[in-house]
C-alpha cells in the first residue's frame, strides 16, 4: 500500500473510484466503495486528524474533508445521483495498460465479483433520484455492462444479473422520479464553495458568465469575418460545423492534432519538454456521455501511456443525429478540444502531477483547477498563434468556450430552478451553436454534474492570476514560468491557487 498519512488515507477511502482512476492508487483496484447510507456515514466519520506540518497540505486536506462532508453528508448526492455509483462500478479503467494484463484481469474479476453487493447498496441509497438525472445517465448505466458476459462463468453471470437490477432501478427513476432536478441555490453555493475553498456568490458568477459569453462572441465574430467577410456569422458557424470528418475519421484527425499540440506547446515555450506516451482511442461505453476525455497516466502509477478518449456517434442513431453529433468534432472545434485534452491541457497537466513531491498535492485534485487549466490552455494557444494563427482555430476555440460558459450559466439556472432542461437545451443551441442530441446531452449533463460550470470558472480564475503574476513579476514574467508555477502545486482548489504565484 502506498505510504501516505492516515488523514489523507481517510480521504482516499471515501472515494475509491477517483483514487484508482484519476490518482493511480491501485491498492483500490478490485475494491468497490460501500455507498450504502451506513457505509457513507462510516467513511465520513473517519475523516479528520491532526494538522499537517506543511500549511499548504493542511489547507488541501481541510478543503477535501469539508467538500466530502457537504457532498455525501449534507447534500447526500449518493442518494440522488447514479453517477457516483456508475463511477464506483465502472471496470473500463482496467483496459488501460498501467500494470501487467494478468493483474488487471484479476482486479477486474474481483471488481465484478463485488457488483451484486455494491448494486444492492446503490439501489438502497438511490431513493431520491430526480427523473432528469436518471434519464441523462441511463445510456451510460446501460453501457456499464459492455463486455460483461453472462455466459463466462458465475462471477460475470452474477454481475450481469446485478447490473440488470441497477439499470431497471435507474429506468424506474427516469419515469417516476421528481421532475425537478434542482439542488437549490444554497446547496449549489455550498457545493461550489467547499469544492474550491472560496466563498461563492452565484449572482456575481452569473454576471461573469454573461460577460465572458459576450467577449467570446466578439472573438467568434472577428474570426468568422476574417474567414468569410461577406457572410453572416451564423452562416459561417454552420459552415464550420459542417466541415467535419465522418465517424471513421474522427480518431485519425484527433491523433494528428495531438502531435501538433504537443509540438507547439514545447516550441512556443508554454511548458518544458513533455515526456510520456499518448494513445488516441474510442471511449468505452461507460464514458459515452462525454464527447472527449483524457485518462492520464496517473500521479501514483508507474510510468505508462495516457489515453485520449474520443466518442464518435453510435451507428444505431439516425443519420441526422449522427451528423449533428459529428458537427461537434468539426475541423475547427476538434483542434481546440485536442489542445484541451492533450497539450498544454490535461495530458501535460497529468505529466506535471507525477512530479509533485507532496502526497496531498499529488492526490487531492480540484475539478475547477483541472478543467480550468485545460480550458485556459485553449485560449493560451489562440493567443500564441496555434496552427499558424488560422482564424478557424480562433473560431473553434470561441465555439468551445461558448459551450463551457453556457455550462456555467446552465448549471446555475438548472440548480437554482431558473431554467428547465428544455430551456438549457435552447440556451446551448442559441449561445453555443450546437444542435440536436449534442445540445440535449450538454443540458442533461448539467442535471447530474452540477459543477460542470467549473471549466469557465477555473479559466477566469487562472487568467486573473496571470494578470497578477505579470504585475508582480514584471519583466521576469514568462508564460512558462507562470504555467509551471501553477502546475508545481498540482491541482489545488481555486481558493488556494494564489500560493502558486507567491512561491513562483
Amino acid at each position: 500500500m502506498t505510504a501516505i498519512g492516515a488523514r489523507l488515507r481517510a480521504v482516499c477511502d471515501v472515494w475509491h473510484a477517483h483514487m484508482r482512476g484519476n490518482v493511480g492508487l491501485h491498492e483500490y483496484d478490485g475494491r468497490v466503495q460501500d455507498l450504502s447510507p451506513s457505509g457513507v456515514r462510516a467513511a465520513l466519520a473517519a475523516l479528520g486528524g491532526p494538522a499537517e506540518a506543511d500549511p499548504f497540505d493542511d489547507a488541501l486536506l481541510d478543503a477535501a474533508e469539508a467538500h466530502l462532508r457537504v457532498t455525501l453528508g449534507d447534500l447526500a448526492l449518493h442518494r440522488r445521483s447514479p453517477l457516483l455509483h456508475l463511477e464506483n462500478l465502472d471496470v473500463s479503467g482496467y483496459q488501460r495498460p498501467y500494470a501487467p494484463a494478468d493483474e488487471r484481469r484479476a482486479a477486474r474479476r474481483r471488481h465484478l465479483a463485488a457488483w451484486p453487493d455494491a448494486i444492492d447498496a446503490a439501489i438502497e441509497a438511490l431513493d431520491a433520484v430526480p427523473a432528469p438525472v436518471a434519464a441523462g445517465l441511463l445510456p451510460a448505466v446501460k453501457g456499464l455492462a459492455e463486455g460483461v458476459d453472462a455466459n463466462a462463468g458465475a462471477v460475470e453471470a452474477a454481475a450481469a444479473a446485478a447490473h440488470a437490477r441497477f439499470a431497471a432501478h435507474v429506468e424506474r427513476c427516469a419515469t417516476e422520479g421528481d421532475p425537478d432536478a434542482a439542488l437549490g441555490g444554497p446547496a449549489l453555493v455550498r457545493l461550489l464553495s467547499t469544492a474550491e475553498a472560496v466563498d461563492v456568490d452565484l449572482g456575481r458568477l452569473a454576471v461573469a458568465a454573461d460577460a465572458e459569453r459576450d467577449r467570446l462572441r466578439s472573438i467568434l465574430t472577428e474570426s468568422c469575418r476574417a474567414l468569410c467577410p461577406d457572410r453572416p456569422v451564423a452562416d459561417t458557424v454552420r459552415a464550420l460545423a459542417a466541415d467535419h470528418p465522418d465517424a471513421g475519421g474522427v480518431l485519425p484527425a484527433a491523433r494528428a492534432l495531438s502531435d501538433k499540440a504537443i509540438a507547439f506547446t514545447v516550441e512556443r515555450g508554454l511548458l518544458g519538454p513533455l515526456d510520456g506516451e499518448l494513445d488516441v482511442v474510442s471511449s468505452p461505453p461507460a464514458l459515452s456521455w462525454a464527447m472527449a476525455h483524457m485518462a492520464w497516466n496517473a500521479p501514483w502509477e508507474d510510468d505508462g501511456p495516457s489515453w485520449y478518449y474520443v466518442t464518435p456517434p453510435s451507428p444505431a442513431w439516425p443519420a441526422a443525429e449522427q451528423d449533428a453529433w459529428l458537427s461537434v468534432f468539426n475541423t475547427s472545434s476538434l483542434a481546440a478540444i485536442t489542445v484541451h485534452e492533450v497539450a498544454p491541457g490535461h495530458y501535460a497537466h497529468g505529466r506535471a502531477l507525477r512530479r509533485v513531491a507532496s502526497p496531498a498535492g499529488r492526490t487531492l485534485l480540484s475539478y475547477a483547477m483541472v478543467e480550468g487549466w485545460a480550458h485556459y490552455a485553449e485560449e493560451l494557444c489562440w493567443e500564441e498563434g496555434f496552427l499558424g494563427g488560422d482564424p478557424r482555430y480562433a473560431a473553434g476555440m470561441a465555439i468551445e468556450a461558448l459551450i463551457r460558459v453556457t455550462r456555467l450559466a446552465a448549471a446555475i439556472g438548472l440548480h437554482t430552478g431558473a431554467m428547465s432542461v428544455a430551456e438549457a437545451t435552447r440556451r446551448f443551441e442559441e449561445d453555443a451553436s450546437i444542435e440536436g442530441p449534442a445540445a440535449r446531452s450538454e443540458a442533461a449533463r448539467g442535471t447530474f454534474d452540477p459543477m460542470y460550470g467549473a471549466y469557465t470558472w477555473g479559466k477566469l480564475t487562472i487568467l486573473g492570476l496571470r494578470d497578477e503574476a505579470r504585475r508582480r513579476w514584471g519583466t521576469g514574467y514568462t508564460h512558462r514560468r507562470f504555467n509551471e508555477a501553477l502546475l508545481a502545486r498540482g491541482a489545488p482548489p481555486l481558493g488556494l491557487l494564489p500560493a502558486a504565484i507567491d512561491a513562483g
Side-chain angles (χ1 to χ4, degrees), residues 46-63:
L47 294 175
E52 301 292 308
D54 182 288
F56 191 79
D57 285 356
D58 194 55
L60 283 175
L61 280 159
D62 282 346

Side-chain angles (χ1 to χ4, degrees), residues 185-236:
L188 183 62
V189 166
R190 294 178 71 192
L191 186 68
L192 298 178
S193 297
T194 56
E196 300 305 327
V198 65
D199 291 333
V200 170
D201 181 324
L202 290 182
R204 291 179 62 185
L205 201 54
V207 168
D210 286 346
E212 178 66 359
R213 177 199 58 196
D214 294 343
R215 184 182 76 93
L216 293 167
R217 281 175 169 169
S218 296
I219 294 170
L220 179 60
T221 297
E222 182 179 346
S223 59
C224 286
R225 287 178 177 163
L227 287 166
C228 303
D230 300 324
R231 295 179 68 180
V233 170
D235 289 352
T236 303

Side-chain angles (χ1 to χ4, degrees), residues 248-276:
V250 172
L251 291 178
R255 290 188 186 102
L257 285 165
S258 296
D259 292 340
K260 291 178 181 179
I262 290 170
F264 182 82
T265 295
V266 177
E267 288 166 3
R268 297 293 295 183
L270 306 182
L271 290 170
L274 290 175
D275 60 353

Side-chain angles (χ1 to χ4, degrees), residues 285-443:
L287 293 175
S288 62
W289 55 270
M291 291 184 170
H293 174 72
M294 174 57 58
W296 57 31
N297 179 207
W300 288 101
E301 290 175 348
D302 293 337
D303 199 15
S306 298
W307 285 12
Y308 173 18
Y309 287 131
V310 180
T311 308
S314 169
W317 292 354
E321 291 199 358
Q322 290 190 49
D323 190 67
W325 186 271
L326 283 168
S327 70
V328 177
F329 297 116
N330 68 75
T331 302
S332 301
S333 292
L334 185 56
I337 290 168
T338 300
V339 163
H340 180 104
E341 298 296 341
V342 179
H346 290 321
Y347 174 64
H349 194 176
R351 300 308 296 175
L353 278 168
R354 297 174 55 80
R355 298 189 292 272
V356 174
S358 156
R362 295 176 79 184
T363 305
L364 303 176
L365 312 181
S366 148
Y367 185 14
M369 169 52 184
V370 169
E371 295 300 349
W373 166 265
H375 193 24
Y376 156 75
E378 300 166 40
E379 183 153 332
L380 177 62
C381 284
W382 165 62
E383 293 171 345
E384 292 297 300
F386 183 52
L387 299 180
D390 189 334
R392 286 176 295 181
Y393 178 78
M397 183 276 297
I399 290 167
E400 285 301 299
L402 282 164
I403 293 172
R404 273 51 175 269
V405 77
T406 306
R407 287 175 180 170
L408 180 55
I412 295 171
L414 286 167
H415 291 286
T416 58
M419 196 181 293
S420 68
V421 173
E423 289 167 335
T425 299
R426 286 195 294 275
R427 180 86 177 237
F428 278 104
E429 291 172 339
E430 293 167 3
D431 285 1
S433 302
I434 56 175
E435 300 176 355
R440 291 196 298 273
S441 176
E442 284 288 350

Side-chain angles (χ1 to χ4, degrees), residues 30 32 91 107-118 154-156 158-159:
V32 182
V91 294
R108 178 182 179 277
R109 183 177 178 82
R110 294 195 306 275
H111 201 130
L112 288 175
W115 269 24
D117 288 344
V155 168
E156 298 220 9

Side-chain angles (χ1 to χ4, degrees), residues 115-191:
W115 269 24
D117 288 344
I119 284 171
D120 287 345
I123 292 171
E124 178 191 0
L126 290 168
D127 60 358
V129 184
V133 171
L137 284 168
L138 189 56
V141 168
K142 290 181 175 179
L144 183 68
E146 182 78 16
V148 177
D149 184 356
N151 298 313
V155 168
E156 298 220 9
H163 173 265
R165 298 197 304 275
F166 182 45
H169 181 75
V170 175
E171 197 155 15
R172 281 193 298 273
C173 293
T175 57
E176 300 172 8
D178 188 336
D180 183 3
L183 284 170
L188 183 62
V189 166
R190 294 178 71 192
L191 186 68

